[in-house]
Amino acid sequence: VDRTPVYSPDGKWIAFNRNISLSDLWRMPAAGGRPERLTSLRINVYGLTWTPDSKSIVFAGYRDDGTTLLRLDVASRRISALGTTESDVAYPNIGRNATSMAFMLSNSRSGIYRIPLAASGSGPLPKPEPVFPSSGKDLLPAISPDGRQIAFVSDRSARPGVWWAELGRPETLRWIEGVIPTARFAPVWSSDSQRLLMAGRTRGSAGIYELIPASAQVRRLPIPAENPIRADYMPDASRMLVIADQGGGRLGLMLY
């Protein structure tokens, strides 16, 4: 999926981002030709713009603590942060004849809600009820197969993490430390409701992590895939399916 094409001010190039979620910056000659990959970030990209000298591209990219403004020097491929103090910035646009830039601040919030099922199809619609009220962003809830537990991703502790609780008992809510989750897919439960799989990273190393909520244990699984993005247990929980980046912006499915 190729998106957001932008001509360089000198008219020689078209920059764009490839893919929606595992996205990177690419460019191609404005007259047509073979696309060239400029970054290997595999992040969400929210808008891009050229600098007036056509030597750099400024874009908004999602990292662990939100969306920030980044600058790519095309010649060296060096990426630097612009140092904005706000998070959740998006869609930068640089003036062609002025050294100024406009961008959008979203400051969005999201929560997890319970919607009671009505006894019948008549009557008013049920009102959504917040499950774990928070001033941060709660995302990607996953109910365990036994229906007793919930896991989700949240930044309510000022950094993204996996949170767990017993349903109906908000006092049991706790943060499972040890992995920075990739907020792209919900945690995946094992069939016995004892374990979770989550794509994430520690100290810059991406991988698939197994979490045991009862003991708050976290371990990275020895999966020989360089950039895994999602995993799911097979019926035999000793094996799993993994989706990983195969290069060139394409994904592959593997059995381990």
Side-chain angles (χ1 to χ4, degrees):
V1 180
D2 294 339
R3 310 167 66 238
T4 324
V6 182
Y7 279 105
S8 60
D10 61 12
K12 295 180 179 180
W13 300 96
I14 297 173
F16 60 95
N17 67 288
R18 174 164 289 180
N19 290 339
I20 296 174
S21 187
L22 294 168
S23 188
D24 275 295
L25 300 189
W26 293 64
R27 73 171 179 177
M28 63 177 291
R34 186 178 182 87
E36 174 189 9
R37 189 172 189 165
L38 300 177
T39 66
S40 296
L41 297 171
R42 301 173 183 87
I43 60 175
N44 290 47
V45 173
Y46 299 99
L48 60 93
T49 183
W50 288 88
T51 54
D53 60 7
S54 299
K55 293 182 178 180
S56 298
I57 299 171
V58 173
F59 62 102
Y62 179 83
R63 289 186 167 179
D64 299 327
D65 53 354
T67 308
T68 58
L69 290 176
L70 304 169
R71 178 173 181 155
L72 167 70
D73 181 86
V74 176
S76 67
R77 303 294 198 266
R78 181 175 178 269
I79 297 174
S80 56
L82 292 188
T84 51
T85 56
E86 299 87 355
S87 61
D88 293 336
V89 298
Y91 306 110
N93 199 317
I94 297 175
R96 177 169 296 192
N97 300 314
T99 55
S100 60
M101 176 173 59
F103 56 89
M104 186 182 78
L105 286 175
S106 62
N107 292 324
S108 61
R109 290 178 56 192
S110 59
I112 298 174
Y113 292 83
R114 178 190 295 108
I115 301 177
L117 298 178
S120 66
S122 61
L125 294 174
K127 183 179 179 180
E129 303 169 355
V131 179
F132 303 110
S134 167
S135 60
K137 297 178 183 177
D138 295 345
L139 304 165
L140 306 172
I143 303 293
S144 60
D146 63 12
R148 298 178 180 178
Q149 308 167 75
I150 183 172
F152 60 96
V153 176
S154 177
D155 65 356
R156 60 177 58 211
S157 62
R159 59 177 298 186
V162 178
W163 289 72
W164 169 90
E166 296 179 25
L167 286 171
R169 297 185 60 197
E171 72 277 6
T172 63
L173 180 65
R174 71 168 183 260
W175 177 22
I176 303 177
E177 300 186 58
V179 60
I180 300 173
T182 302
R184 189 171 285 119
F185 297 103
V188 176
W189 286 94
S190 59
S191 59
D192 61 5
S193 301
Q194 300 298 312
R195 294 171 290 167
L196 291 164
L197 291 177
M198 189 76 208
R201 68 175 182 84
T202 54
R203 300 177 182 176
S205 179
I208 298 297
Y209 292 80
E210 188 172 61
L211 294 70
I212 303 178
S215 59
Q217 294 181 348
V218 176
R219 70 184 182 101
R220 178 173 174 166
L221 300 179
I223 296 173
E226 184 177 353
N227 293 292
I229 66 164
R230 190 176 189 270
D232 202 345
Y233 291 106
M234 295 287 287
D236 174 5
S238 65
R239 307 199 73 184
M240 65 185 65
L241 290 167
V242 176
I243 298 174
D245 189 341
Q246 298 294 292
R250 298 184 181 277
L251 301 178
L253 179 66
M254 290 152 284
L255 175 65
Y256 291 105

